[in-house]
Amino acid sequence: MSVSDGVAAMVRAHRDTEPVAALHTRGPLTLEDAYGIQRRVFDTLWGADGVAGYKISLVAPEHRASFGASEPTFGRLAAHQVLTGSPEVPLDSMLSPLVEPELVFTVDRDLAPAASPDKVLASCHVSAGLEIPESRFRGWFPVPDQTVGDLVADNSFAGLVVHSEHSVPASDVD
């Protein structure tokens, strides 16, 4: 499967809110190609707004094992995907959303190009949150027939993140 074909399928699934078959069913999908698809889909749909944050997936070893992954993956979040406080959440516009409790880490300054662990800790705040993941793939949950490449190409199943207006410095949390 070509990166261009993957991008076209994912953009169409987003715009039409119609699920598609997992991309790996169309041919081999490398992790490098999957991140390329993710980046191009994000840029096509929301690139003008830039990246507002990142979603990390497959943090738990058992989740990585279910996808045959050796490390966590990430997805990009656009500003419209990050909600604060007690907003009305448009679940009817999402494809098979789930709800998961999360800790949300926000960073209050640019850490580029490289930051020490102490600098990262000093710039982070933690708040309670809910992640509402979704997928553009048919029958995506439970995950019967998807690879880590599918997950990554689908922006690591990024949907929405809702977090509390109240946060605490990360250095205050064990």
Side-chain angles (χ1 to χ4, degrees), residues 69-135:
S70 59
E71 61 188 24
T73 66
F74 73 90
R76 294 162 170 84
L77 294 168
H80 76 275
Q81 293 174 287
V82 181
L83 309 173
T84 304
S86 300
E88 188 170 313
V89 178
L91 295 178
D92 59 345
S93 67
M94 299 177 76
L95 292 170
S96 302
L98 301 174
V99 178
E100 302 174 350
E102 298 289 345
L103 294 175
V104 177
F105 293 82
T106 54
V107 180
D108 64 8
R109 66 187 92 144
D110 186 357
L111 296 173
S116 69
D118 289 338
K119 185 175 180 181
V120 172
L121 186 63
S123 70
C124 284
H125 289 77
V126 181
S127 60
L130 295 173
E131 178 190 1
I132 307 170
E134 67 172 330
S135 176

Side-chain angles (χ1 to χ4, degrees), residues 32 40 82 90 101 107 124 148 163 169:
E32 182 180 344
R40 287 180 51 192
V82 181
V107 180
C124 284
V148 67
H163 67 94

